[in-house]
């Protein structure tokens, strides 16, 4: 609310829908990170919808999509070198099972050897 008031140079409860959209664009142009902008928009939504009862002001204000980076995928040779680097066959087997099953680190740690 403080940033909105500083941007508008007046009380936030006097803001219009155009003011809120311009404030969002201002935050994007100044390099504010998408999670920060979305957090601010949540606060503004609470203020305008719950406190003031002016839900119509936030029609044009939409949260920003934050692109997720693609995960790093090892090549066949890199996986073979990783498994071969294990100190003994037991660890090589564990790494092979973990990689082949797509297990996470915590899931690998939880594996137990059991005789059926």
């Amino acid at each position: 609310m403080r940033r909105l008031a500083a941007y508008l140079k007046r009380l936030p409860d006097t803001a219009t829908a155009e003011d809120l959209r311009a404030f969002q664009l201002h935050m994007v142009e100044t390099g504010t990170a998408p999670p920060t902008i979305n957090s601010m928009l949540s606060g503004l939504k609470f203020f305008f919808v719950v406190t003031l009862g002016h839900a119509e002001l936030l029609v044009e204000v939409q949260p920003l999509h934050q692109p997720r980076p693609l995960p790093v995928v090892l090549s066949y040779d890199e996986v073979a070198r990783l498994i071969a680097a294990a100190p003994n066959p037991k660890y090589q087997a564990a790494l092979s099972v973990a990689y082949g099953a797509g297990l996470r680190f915590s899931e690998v740690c939880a594996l137990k050897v059991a005789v059926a």
Side-chain angles (χ1 to χ4, degrees):
M1 297 309 301
R2 184 178 19 161
R3 288 176 93 174
L4 176 62
Y7 173 77
L8 295 175
K9 296 182 178 58
R10 62 178 193 270
L11 293 175
D13 60 345
T14 62
T16 64
E18 293 81 27
D19 292 334
L20 295 176
R21 181 69 180 143
F23 176 62
Q24 183 181 18
L25 292 174
H26 168 73
M27 288 190 297
V28 170
E29 290 168 357
T30 57
T32 306
T36 304
I37 293 173
N38 291 338
S39 173
M40 283 187 204
L41 293 179
S42 294
L44 291 174
K45 183 176 182 180
F46 180 84
F47 178 72
F48 284 102
V49 174
V50 176
T51 307
L52 297 180
H54 294 297
E56 69 279 358
L57 295 177
L58 294 169
V59 172
E60 293 193 27
V61 177
Q62 299 296 321
L64 297 180
H65 173 71
Q66 182 179 6
R68 294 182 184 171
L70 293 175
V72 175
V73 179
L74 299 177
S75 71
Y76 178 80
D77 293 333
E78 290 171 324
V79 172
R81 284 198 331 254
L82 176 70
I83 293 171
N88 62 44
K90 177 175 116 178
Y91 293 122
Q92 289 177 352
L95 284 173
S96 296
V97 168
Y99 183 78
L103 300 179
R104 297 182 193 106
F105 180 75
S106 61
E107 295 168 330
V108 173
C109 291
L111 288 177
K112 302 262 190 258
V113 176
V115 178

